Amino acid sequence: MKRKFLFVTVIFALLLTVLPACDAQKAGSLKAMTRPYIAQYECISATLGSENLLDKFDYIEVNLADKKELEVIYKLKGGERKIVTTTYEFDTETRELSADIGIFGYRFKQCAKIENGKFTVTKAIGLKQLIMNFQLK
């Protein structure tokens, strides 16, 4: 009987040690598990042809505020913070984000696949290629 009690006590102590590693708070919220793409993304590189656009900006961010609203937040160096708001769609099977947005004097529909918290926006503007890489902030 003492051995059984000792065995149960050891198992219980091990469970108390292991179970906190499965902390639900660290696993994230329900939103983070069901819609992990809803987040804020920062631009880590932006080029138009051979020109580095990030040299002209303090920051460029994309914020997926909820299931439908997308914000592009940017600040030119020495300028004011600007926010452009539009709607977006997200296909959970293909992980493709699509939005119709007007920014920097251009209006375009853009689709990008979000993988591992990153996505790339590419668009031909005139004879130059705009390439913007974003990652989770």
Side-chain angles (χ1 to χ4, degrees):
M1 186 68 154
K2 284 184 179 182
R3 286 182 77 172
K4 194 182 260 188
F5 178 74
L6 182 62
F7 180 72
V8 169
T9 304
V10 169
I11 295 296
F12 184 70
L14 284 172
L15 285 175
L16 287 176
T17 305
V18 173
L19 285 179
C22 301
D23 187 3
Q25 275 188 324
K26 290 181 184 175
S29 67
L30 182 58
K31 181 181 101 174
M33 291 186 296
T34 58
R35 289 188 226 83
Y37 59 90
I38 294 179
Q40 192 164 26
Y41 300 85
E42 64 183 335
C43 185
I44 56 173
S45 70
T47 57
L48 180 60
S50 61
E51 181 182 5
N52 182 359
L53 295 178
L54 289 183
D55 289 341
K56 297 180 180 183
F57 291 86
D58 285 334
Y59 56 84
I60 303 172
E61 299 172 348
V62 170
N63 183 29
L64 302 181
D66 57 31
K67 291 190 321 185
K68 295 291 176 190
E69 187 177 89
L70 178 144
E71 298 173 326
V72 177
I73 306 163
Y74 63 95
K75 183 177 180 290
L76 285 164
K77 290 192 187 267
E80 293 183 22
R81 181 179 193 244
K82 304 279 185 184
I83 300 174
V84 178
T85 304
T86 190
T87 57
Y88 75 94
E89 294 178 1
F90 187 80
D91 185 327
T92 55
E93 290 181 19
T94 63
R95 307 204 45 81
E96 188 171 84
L97 168 74
S98 61
D100 184 22
I101 191 161
I103 190 165
F104 308 130
Y106 298 97
R107 182 142 199 93
F108 55 92
K109 182 166 180 83
Q110 183 63 46
C111 296
K113 190 170 189 171
I114 298 178
E115 294 181 298
N116 300 319
K118 298 178 182 180
F119 66 93
T120 300
V121 173
T122 59
K123 181 72 177 167
I125 298 177
L127 298 175
K128 296 181 180 180
Q129 188 73 18
L130 172 67
I131 302 171
M132 301 176 78
N133 294 301
F134 291 86
Q135 73 178 14
L136 277 172
K137 188 171 178 181

